[in-house]
Amino acid sequence: MTKKQQLETLFFRGYCSIIKAMPMDGFIFTSESVTEGHPDKIADQISDAVLDAIIKDDPNCRVACETLITRNKIVLSAEITSKVTVDFEKIIKNTLLSIGYNDKSVGFDANNCQIDLYIEEQSPDISRGVDKKGSDIIGAGDQGIMFGYATNENKNFMPYPILLAHKLTKKLAEKRKSNELPFLRPDGKSQVSIQYVDNQATHVDTVLISTQHSPDVEDSVLKESIIEEIIKKEIPRQLINDKTKFLINPTGRFVVGGPQGDTGLTGRKIIVDTYGGWAKHGGGAFSGKDPSKVDRSGSYMARYIAKNIVASGLLPNCEIQLAYAIGKADPISFNIKSTPDIDAKILNKLSDRVMKIFDCTPKGIIKTLDLLNPIYQNTASYGHFGRDEKGFNWEKIDTKKEIKSL
């Protein structure tokens, strides 16, 4: 047997082993979400609140803001170039109070905390590539790769696991703030596992919710309330059956939460922010960055393109990749992927034509998606995609006819 034949035999045996190991009835996929009171999400919201406060009066600002929160301390570190000044401490405290952190007993007291500020201007070496003197061209604020994804799985064009996980955490916050479930506290997580057969969601296999709570609530009351008032009202009825498992606070207790229980940092929930692990991620976080940073704006544009392609009916799902070089306006690559049965030649042809419709330079993205507005704090919890709220302009479906006519 030749070396080539040996390698082919080993490959075939390995392939057969993989096939044998795969469940015949499909697969289970899991995604998670966190509430706005989760420490990492607190940090994201503070960073985006700072951006909103500045971009409101200075649309051409340059902001890169990071937040760290732990125990009773907040550290804000940023590179900011702007003609306006803002009250950073007020922004931080108002953000925390809007979440519900007004007392140490719930995990943090915004009115009695230490705030450290470390603010510098944007590096001149970055600035010279982004803002070119004597030109209205905006160069990419950094190198990197960005991904956008859409699927026809539901009306939100999102993978079901992350879509449902977000619905659960958002409902936790709503029930807490309305005082309908008065024992809830700001910190919390959800996790949704869905069974797929032939790449179609058949039912929810497991729902996991871990929520911070008051020390006096009975475990049975908490569990029943979460199942009846949160899970069963947010998970579509057709996706729940007698096989669905509910796990509520598996450790049995979650009283110490928020920054009292864990440190929070901007940009540490990038998979929660996007597609729950279903699609790729370039690695760059979004929050605290003005739209000249293509980590953010490029990802928004990739989602916008992918969603309109799927909405046109040309592809059942679509993953867009963009890549940029710092200081350069045009992307250095653009790629479309879909299901394996779609011929690569078709995707390449579609890619060439789509690039003629969408301006993927930073300036073009900012103009197309109207990004020079204070819209960012609202994106910092419950996901940046799959939402029909005001300001989420990358969710518009307004070019599908143009794409379909290609």
Side-chain angles (χ1 to χ4, degrees):
M1 185 181 293
T2 66
K3 188 172 183 180
K4 181 181 178 182
Q5 289 173 323
Q6 290 175 341
L7 289 172
E8 288 175 345
T9 301
L10 289 170
F11 174 80
F12 179 73
R13 287 175 179 170
Y15 179 76
C16 289
S17 297
I18 292 171
I19 296 299
K20 186 181 289 186
M22 290 177 65
M24 296 303 292
D25 57 349
F27 62 91
I28 295 174
F29 194 90
T30 303
S31 294
E32 74 159 347
S33 176
V34 298
T35 65
E36 63 201 63
H38 185 281
D40 291 331
K41 277 292 141 202
I42 300 171
D44 284 342
Q45 289 168 89
I46 290 173
S47 293
D48 271 337
V50 169
L51 171 60
D52 278 352
I54 296 172
I55 205 170
K56 178 177 178 288
D57 295 317
D58 184 6
N60 296 314
C61 64
R62 295 292 175 256
V63 177
C65 182
E66 311 284 346
T67 304
L68 179 143
I69 183 167
T70 180
R71 300 300 188 267
N72 73 327
K73 175 181 276 193
I74 297 170
V75 179
L76 186 76
S77 177
E79 294 80 48
I80 298 173
T81 300
S82 175
K83 64 183 181 183
V84 303
T85 56
V86 297
D87 188 337
F88 293 105
E89 292 196 7
K90 184 178 180 180
I91 293 168
I92 291 169
K93 289 182 178 181
N94 285 345
T95 302
L96 286 158
L97 291 172
S98 70
I99 295 170
Y101 282 115
N102 56 6
D103 191 276
K104 189 176 179 180
S105 65
V106 300
F108 200 87
D109 184 358
N111 293 309
N112 293 283
C113 63
Q114 179 183 339
I115 299 175
D116 294 336
L117 303 175
Y118 300 91
I119 313 298
E120 303 289 345
E121 288 195 345
Q122 184 184 58
S123 163
D125 290 344
I126 296 176
S127 180
R128 69 192 299 269
V130 177
D131 302 303
K132 303 177 186 297
K133 290 185 178 181
S135 172
D136 63 352
I137 296 173
I138 300 174
D142 201 352
Q143 71 175 53
I145 55 175
M146 299 88 215
F147 291 93
Y149 181 79
T151 173
N152 62 8
E153 193 171 344
N154 47 65
K155 67 178 183 179
N156 300 83
F157 294 86
M158 289 290 286
Y160 255 131
I162 187 64
L163 179 67
L164 297 181
H166 284 320
K167 285 180 177 293
L168 294 174
T169 50
K170 193 169 187 179
K171 184 58 69 173
L172 277 172
E174 290 173 2
K175 292 289 186 180
R176 170 177 60 86
K177 290 181 173 181
S178 67
N179 211 36
E180 291 178 68
L181 298 179
F183 53 81
L184 293 179
R185 297 293 182 260
D187 199 356
K189 289 184 174 184
S190 72
Q191 195 165 280
V192 177
S193 303
I194 294 184
Q195 174 80 45
Y196 282 82
V197 176
D198 295 328
N199 290 316
Q200 298 294 318
T202 60
H203 70 276
V204 174
D205 180 84
T206 306
V207 179
L208 165 61
I209 289 184
S210 294
T211 180
Q212 185 187 8
H213 57 83
S214 63
D216 55 349
V217 65
E218 293 183 11
D219 189 55
S220 59
V221 172
L222 183 144
K223 288 181 177 178
E224 182 181 1
S225 299
I226 295 300
I227 291 172
E228 296 299 325
E229 298 299 322
I230 305 290
I231 296 174
K232 289 187 176 180
K233 290 188 177 180
E234 291 303 311
I235 303 291
R237 186 175 299 177
Q238 69 271 20
L239 290 178
I240 295 180
N241 60 24
D242 56 2
K243 295 181 181 179
T244 303
K245 299 179 285 293
F246 302 131
L247 301 176
I248 313 300
N249 283 11
T251 67
R253 184 177 172 86
F254 188 178
V255 173
V256 179
Q260 288 294 323
D262 197 6
T263 298
L265 187 65
T266 300
R268 205 158 55 179
K269 285 291 178 283
I270 59 176
I271 300 303
V272 171
D273 285 341
T274 51
Y275 307 101
W278 188 278
K280 297 186 187 74
H281 195 296
F286 300 159
S287 291
K289 297 178 181 178
D290 74 78
S292 73
K293 280 76 172 173
V294 285
D295 278 339
R296 180 172 220 158
S297 56
S299 297
Y300 290 172
M301 191 65 169
R303 162 67 177 177
Y304 175 58
I305 297 171
K307 187 174 181 180
N308 276 271
I309 289 174
V310 173
S312 75
L314 292 178
L315 297 175
N317 57 67
C318 180
E319 184 180 80
I320 300 290
Q321 186 203 52
L322 290 167
Y324 291 87
I326 188 168
K328 301 296 183 182
D330 291 308
I332 60 175
S333 73
F334 178 90
N335 184 42
I336 298 178
K337 282 189 176 181
S338 187
T339 54
D341 59 308
I342 305 294
D343 190 278
K345 291 181 180 179
I346 295 175
L347 294 178
N348 290 335
K349 189 176 181 180
L350 178 61
S351 177
D352 291 339
R353 294 184 176 182
V354 165
M355 282 297 285
K356 295 177 182 178
I357 297 175
F358 299 95
D359 184 351
C360 291
T361 64
K363 182 180 178 181
I365 295 171
I366 289 168
K367 181 179 179 181
T368 300
L369 302 181
D370 195 19
L371 297 179
L372 298 180
N373 291 294
I375 59 173
Y376 297 103
Q377 185 179 352
N378 197 31
T379 70
S381 49
Y382 312 117
H384 292 246
F385 306 120
R387 299 167 65 175
D388 57 4
E389 301 157 55
K390 184 179 179 181
F392 288 75
N393 297 325
W394 46 93
E395 294 297 318
K396 294 185 299 183
I397 300 174
D398 55 3
T399 60
K400 65 177 184 178
K401 290 183 179 179
E402 193 175 356
I403 292 170
K404 198 169 185 178
S405 65
L406 290 173

